[in-house]
Amino acid sequence: MTVRVQSDEFDAGAELNAFTGEVAGAGAIVSFTGVVRDVDGGLTAMEIEHYPAMTERAIAKIVEEAQSRWSLAGALVIHRYGRLETGAQIMMVATASRHRVDAFQAAEFLMDYLKSRAPFWKKELTKDGEAWVEARDEDEDALGRW
Amino acid sequence: MTVRVQSDEFDAGAELNAFTGEVAGAGAIVSFTGVVRDVDGGLTAMEIEHYPAMTERAIAKIVEEAQSRWSLAGALVIHRYGRLETGAQIMMVATASRHRVDAFQAAEFLMDYLKSRAPFWKKELTKDGEAWVEARDEDEDALGRW
Amino acid sequence: MIDVLYFAWVRERIGLPKEQVETSAATVAELVDELRQREERYALAFSDLRALRVAIDQELTEFDAPLAGAREVAFFPPMTGG
Amino acid sequence: MIDVLYFAWVRERIGLPKEQVETSAATVAELVDELRQREERYALAFSDLRALRVAIDQELTEFDAPLAGAREVAFFPPMTGG
């Protein structure tokens, strides 16, 4: 299991290749990359705040839960904080398993829990000002399926 | 939409980065990579046969179906044929969407259909001989959920 | 004349990847019956149709599909891509 | 003495990220009540507890959780990671 919380950029492709190299024996590798998208045409950047003392521990706990539910050869979580421009990569998740269904489910589980249970808060900066992103009911509801 | 059927190796990380660069505006990118795994400790290689006149068309049809079901900013399928050593990458799928659920579902849909509806046949080469991989009932059943 | 293609173990059992067949069969199933009469290797390859899939002109279809206008028929086991 | 941390708009409304608080509150809810009494900005930040989450010593918990032994309490809105 690898968990990294950082302000620096990361190279999703290089991370995917390194991860794939580490999980030899796994037939199925799934990755998710989250990118800052310009929602309404006015977004200039996103500011991500986090709770440093808690973040890595909270993510590690989520990954451990995934590992207890699915047979995983490996799991990777990278999450950035600080100012991110439109188009920048925010975070990525990768999972590896013998079977594709396990790899997909574990990746979706990680994403659902990172959304609502890892201590990050996003603020959108637009030409007109700034606003904290509100948690969506459907993100909380998504946890119900696991 | 990009569909490539080839015997050459591909670089999954480089493909993921190129794909991410092309789908600017999508917030969520999912990838799947399939790797030749040594199932029982005796596999030396895999031989993948396909039906050249049909393959790209069949895959394109599957991708079009995915695009009609989910709002996708892009979709990529690369599938190899020929002899592949243990550890080699067999194929990859990538999907991009505004929302993570769409990207995940479309990628899983593509995988389920590529497994059972794209004209590829895998043969496992072991120290003791060779055997065609049999289609699994659960792969056929997986189509039922879509 | 119609092109008949075989893949994977169907190809191996019959011993060739492709052949031209002169047929007046109205459906895929009738073509299969004609092929089965030919030689033991065909009878063996086509012994259990539930284990086979068929495509006409590169489109998956069923064994009761009509052959009228078909240029290429392919027989193969269930696919194992991905 | 307990460290109290604020994040996101809770931090902005209260106007600071962290402070030390002398309290004899038995639960998180009692601590919130004490903070609300202090100043308008606290009352505003804590006006709707359903819009808030709380962690004791970096573990998510509930507002009725006991404070005994706690060294750090953090208040923040629902998380929006990923």
Side-chain angles (χ1 to χ4, degrees):
Chain A
M1 183 210 312
T2 306
V3 174
R4 272 162 39 206
V5 179
Q6 61 188 52
S7 63
D8 288 347
E9 287 182 32
F10 61 90
D11 179 332
E15 297 291 346
L16 176 63
N17 282 349
F19 179 74
T20 301
E22 283 161 19
V23 292
I29 291 140
V30 169
S31 80
F32 177 92
T33 316
V35 177
V36 182
R37 62 186 164 92
D38 183 356
V39 186
D40 308 298
L43 194 74
T44 52
M46 196 166 253
E47 189 81 40
I48 301 183
E49 183 171 334
H50 78 125
Y51 181 178
M54 179 176 171
T55 315
E56 290 201 21
R57 230 165 86 181
I59 296 175
K61 219 172 131 183
I62 293 167
V63 176
E64 280 161 24
E65 177 67 25
Q67 285 174 319
S68 77
R69 288 174 181 235
W70 293 280
S71 172
L72 300 180
L76 166 72
V77 177
I78 302 173
H79 204 304
R80 294 176 68 192
Y81 59 86
R83 185 186 166 96
L84 283 78
E85 308 300 317
T86 305
Q89 297 183 351
I90 304 171
M91 52 85 65
M92 83 176 279
V93 152
T95 54
S97 180
R98 288 170 66 91
H99 301 294
R100 75 184 187 285
V101 174
D102 289 37
F104 270 119
Q105 291 213 337
E108 289 187 76
F109 173 92
L110 290 176
M111 286 307 305
D112 283 352
Y113 273 83
L114 289 170
K115 280 266 167 200
S116 306
R117 292 291 182 273
F120 293 99
W121 299 275
K122 292 196 189 104
K123 180 187 263 184
E124 290 176 349
L125 313 179
T126 67
K127 284 167 250 161
D128 304 326
E130 48 179 60
W132 290 99
V133 173
E134 285 193 55
R136 303 185 313 164
D137 287 342
E138 59 217 85
D139 285 334
E140 188 64 31
D141 294 347
L143 303 184
R145 63 173 162 150
W146 304 109
Chain B
M1 182 209 313
T2 305
V3 174
R4 274 164 35 208
V5 179
Q6 61 188 52
S7 63
D8 288 347
E9 287 182 31
F10 62 90
D11 180 332
E15 297 291 345
L16 176 63
N17 282 348
F19 179 74
T20 301
E22 282 162 20
V23 292
I29 291 141
V30 169
S31 81
F32 177 93
T33 316
V35 178
V36 181
R37 61 186 164 91
D38 183 357
V39 186
D40 308 298
L43 193 74
T44 52
M46 197 166 253
E47 189 81 40
I48 301 184
E49 183 171 335
H50 78 126
Y51 181 178
M54 180 175 170
T55 315
E56 291 202 20
R57 230 166 84 180
I59 296 175
K61 221 173 131 184
I62 293 168
V63 176
E64 279 160 24
E65 177 68 24
Q67 286 174 319
S68 77
R69 288 175 181 237
W70 294 279
S71 172
L72 300 180
L76 166 73
V77 176
I78 301 172
H79 204 303
R80 296 176 66 193
Y81 58 86
R83 185 186 167 96
L84 283 77
E85 308 301 316
T86 306
Q89 297 183 352
I90 305 170
M91 52 85 65
M92 83 176 279
V93 153
T95 55
S97 180
R98 286 171 65 91
H99 301 294
R100 75 184 187 285
V101 174
D102 289 37
F104 270 118
Q105 291 213 335
E108 288 187 75
F109 173 93
L110 289 176
M111 286 308 304
D112 283 353
Y113 273 83
L114 287 170
K115 280 267 166 198
S116 306
R117 292 291 180 273
F120 293 98
W121 299 275
K122 291 195 190 105
K123 179 187 263 185
E124 290 176 348
L125 312 180
T126 67
K127 284 167 250 162
D128 303 327
E130 49 179 60
W132 290 99
V133 173
E134 285 193 56
R136 302 187 313 164
D137 287 343
E138 60 217 83
D139 284 333
E140 188 64 31
D141 294 347
L143 303 186
R145 63 173 163 151
W146 304 110
Chain C
M1 292 289 271
I2 199 167
D3 285 331
V4 181
L5 279 66
Y6 310 112
F7 292 98
W9 58 252
V10 183
R11 171 179 55 71
E12 291 180 338
R13 285 192 195 172
I14 291 176
L16 78 179
K18 184 176 178 173
E19 61 186 320
Q20 289 208 313
V21 173
E22 183 76 61
T23 180
S24 55
T27 65
V28 175
E30 285 184 27
L31 172 63
V32 168
D33 280 337
E34 287 181 11
L35 292 168
R36 274 180 180 141
Q37 308 301 317
R38 288 182 159 194
E39 281 178 56
E40 184 58 25
R41 58 196 169 106
Y42 288 94
L44 194 68
F46 290 109
S47 61
D48 181 8
L49 290 194
R50 286 168 310 174
L52 290 182
R53 300 289 179 268
V54 61
I56 294 179
D57 294 336
Q58 301 94 43
E59 293 274 357
L60 276 177
T61 186
E62 304 295 329
F63 282 89
D64 58 3
L67 274 187
R71 285 172 302 178
E72 184 171 299
V73 177
F75 296 102
F76 40 77
M79 293 157 273
T80 54
Chain D
M1 292 289 270
I2 199 166
D3 285 331
V4 182
L5 280 65
Y6 309 111
F7 292 98
W9 58 253
V10 183
R11 172 179 55 71
E12 290 179 339
R13 285 193 196 171
I14 291 175
L16 79 179
K18 184 175 176 174
E19 61 185 321
Q20 288 209 311
V21 174
E22 183 77 60
T23 181
S24 55
T27 64
V28 174
E30 285 184 27
L31 173 62
V32 168
D33 280 336
E34 287 180 10
L35 292 168
R36 274 181 180 140
Q37 307 302 318
R38 289 183 158 195
E39 282 178 57
E40 184 59 25
R41 58 197 169 105
Y42 287 94
L44 193 69
F46 289 109
S47 61
D48 181 8
L49 290 192
R50 287 168 308 175
L52 290 181
R53 300 290 179 268
V54 60
I56 294 181
D57 293 336
Q58 299 95 43
E59 293 275 355
L60 276 176
T61 186
E62 303 296 329
F63 282 90
D64 58 4
L67 274 186
R71 284 172 302 178
E72 183 170 298
V73 177
F75 296 103
F76 40 77
M79 293 157 273
T80 53

